[in-house]
């Protein structure tokens, strides 16, 4: 008997679609590179495993008593939540035994860490991540995420930090996991953006979209308007313009959740400089750069002031930046007022 209103032909996974897991997507990508050693694929599979573990911990957070803060502040001077620590440890444990990982760098650790000193066969990589983005949302069941950026390891670099300080345009791959009403994995290796959804009943990420494109327009802006009076004048003029032109405001307070909405529905996400954070609040290397790569790969734009985010040459691992990213035309509207 058919379920009224449920059109399987129209559903994301119709019965005629081939089922592709994240794992098989990664393996088929590897087969397209005749010289691939598999290191890169092992890293992605470690990230996929981390995502499943973190997702499970978040889903049970209140039941397992891991809500709330620990008696600690991180390198950013921000209070760590218990789940910030758990997510960080999960990523370090999953990536720790993968031969292709030379260095990892996390929002929660002051210095990049060397994971493998001895060169194995093949290319080695640096993996940078924000283990839990939007962690202040956890206690209220709001969306949170994990963001990652993968760079080639520079074996000539004299310190781990020197190896990771590369402009975002040099990222080999980037992505995020959103632990929302479902858990989604969004990923690019520089040839379009793919979207996977975790099916918890089988423990696998299933592909539901390839070559995602951000709508070129979308009358929604996403920023913390509580800071409006301390934004530079150009951003305030943009908000005046948007509000007199019928725009809606949407703000989850977690970059991953806000950017995911912009990716699927269009609009613009912005975190301008403020009086409290004159260089912007978000971190260039493991928040802005990976999101900028995803957004550009999906046909959108990503700027720090008037410069493309991906062209900013980082000076320190934890440096901050302002951010304007999203639909092509909507970013242009902001830049017209700010530039
Ligand atoms: P994190 O939880 O990793 O420190 O990141 C929080 C970030 C980002 O996710 C979000 O867009 C922004 O902070 C929210 O900041 P405000 O509370 O200042 O709006
Ligand atoms: Mn974050
Ligand atoms: Mn974080």
């Amino acid at each position: 008997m058919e379920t009224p209103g449920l059109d399987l032909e129209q559903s994301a996974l119709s019965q005629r679609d081939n089922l592709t897991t994240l794992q098989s997507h990664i393996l088929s990508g590897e087969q397209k590179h005749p010289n691939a050693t598999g290191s890169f694929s092992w890293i992605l599979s470690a990230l996929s495993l981390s995502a499943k573990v973190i997702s499970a911990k978040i889903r049970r957070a209140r039941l397992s008593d891991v809500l709330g803060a620990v008696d600690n502040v991180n390198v950013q001077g921000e209070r760590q939540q218990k789940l910030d620590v758990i997510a960080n440890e999960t990523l370090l444990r999953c990536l720790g035994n993968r031969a292709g990982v030379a260095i990892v760098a996390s929002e929660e650790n002051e210095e990049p860490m060397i994971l493998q000193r001895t060169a194995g066969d093949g290319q080695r990589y640096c993996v940078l991540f924000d283990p839990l983005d939007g962690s202040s949302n956890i206690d209220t069941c709001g969306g949170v995420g994990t963001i990652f950026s993968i760079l080639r390891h520079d074996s000539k670099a004299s310190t781990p930090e020197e190896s990771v300080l590369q402009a975002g345009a040099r990222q080999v791959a980037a992505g995020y996991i959103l632990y929302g009403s479902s858990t989604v994995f969004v990923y690019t290796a520089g040839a379009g953006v793919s979207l996977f959804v975790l099916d918890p009943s089988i423990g696998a990420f299933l592909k539901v979209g390839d070559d995602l494109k951000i709508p070129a327009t979308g009358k929604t802006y996403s920023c913390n308007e509580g800071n409006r009076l301390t934004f530079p004048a150009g951003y305030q003029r943009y908000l005046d313009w948007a509000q007199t032109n019928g725009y809606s405001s949407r703000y989850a307070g977690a970059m991953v959740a806000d950017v995911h909405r912009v990716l699927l529905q269009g609009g613009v996400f912005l975190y301008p400089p403020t009086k409290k954070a004159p260089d912007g609040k978000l971190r260039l290397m493991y928040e802005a750069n990976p999101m900028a790569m995803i957004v550009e790969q999906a046909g959108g734009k990503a700027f720090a002031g008037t410069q493309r985010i991906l062209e900013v040459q980082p000076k320190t691992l934890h440096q901050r930046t302002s951010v304007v990213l999203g639909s092509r035309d909507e970013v242009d509207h902001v830049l017209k007022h700010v530039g």
Side-chain angles (χ1 to χ4, degrees), residues 74 76 78 84 106-108 129-136 145-147 283 286-287:
N74 69 9
Q76 325 286 338
E78 292 157 351
D84 281 324
S106 163
E107 179 190 15
E108 305 300 335
F129 48 82
D130 175 355
L132 208 54
D133 176 67
S135 52
S136 64
T146 296
I147 313 175
R283 294 66 156 197
Y286 42 81
E287 291 183 316

Side-chain angles (χ1 to χ4, degrees), residues 60-113:
R60 292 185 47 81
R62 188 169 285 280
L63 300 173
S64 314
D65 192 26
V66 290
L67 292 179
V70 287
D71 280 337
N72 212 357
V73 290
N74 69 9
V75 57
Q76 325 286 338
E78 292 157 351
R79 205 168 162 74
Q80 280 181 313
Q81 304 293 308
K82 289 179 193 165
L83 275 166
D84 281 324
V85 177
I86 290 170
N88 195 39
E89 280 170 4
T90 301
L91 279 153
L92 293 174
R93 286 175 65 197
C94 290
L95 287 162
N97 60 355
R98 308 284 161 134
V101 186
I103 290 168
V104 290
S106 163
E107 179 190 15
E108 305 300 335
N109 300 110
E110 187 147 10
E111 303 281 344
M113 296 159 66

Side-chain angles (χ1 to χ4, degrees), residues 283-330:
R283 294 66 156 197
L284 174 65
M285 300 216 62
Y286 42 81
E287 291 183 316
N289 273 343
M291 290 310 198
M293 183 175 183
I294 296 266
V295 163
E296 286 201 2
Q297 282 290 318
K301 290 186 167 185
F303 278 76
T306 52
Q307 187 179 16
R308 241 179 102 215
I309 288 174
L310 295 181
E311 287 173 0
V312 176
Q313 177 57 46
K315 295 189 179 65
T316 60
L317 170 63
H318 298 291
Q319 91 183 49
R320 295 174 190 265
T321 179
S322 65
V323 169
V324 177
L325 59 77
S327 295
R328 187 195 61 207
D329 294 359
E330 304 305 338

Side-chain angles (χ1 to χ4, degrees), residues 119-184:
D121 295 338
Q123 183 71 53
R124 299 192 320 139
Y125 297 90
C126 307
V127 185
L128 287 66
F129 48 82
D130 175 355
L132 208 54
D133 176 67
S135 52
S136 64
N137 277 2
I138 293 169
D139 290 6
T140 53
C141 282
V144 290
T146 296
I147 313 175
F148 62 89
S149 163
I150 304 178
L151 295 159
R152 282 186 211 290
H153 172 52
D154 176 2
S155 55
K156 295 191 193 73
S158 50
T159 62
E161 184 155 50
E162 198 182 311
S163 179
V164 301
L165 291 181
Q166 305 178 36
R170 294 174 65 187
Q171 291 171 107
V172 180
Y176 62 80
I177 299 102
L178 170 60
Y179 313 101
S181 53
S182 55
T183 296
V184 299

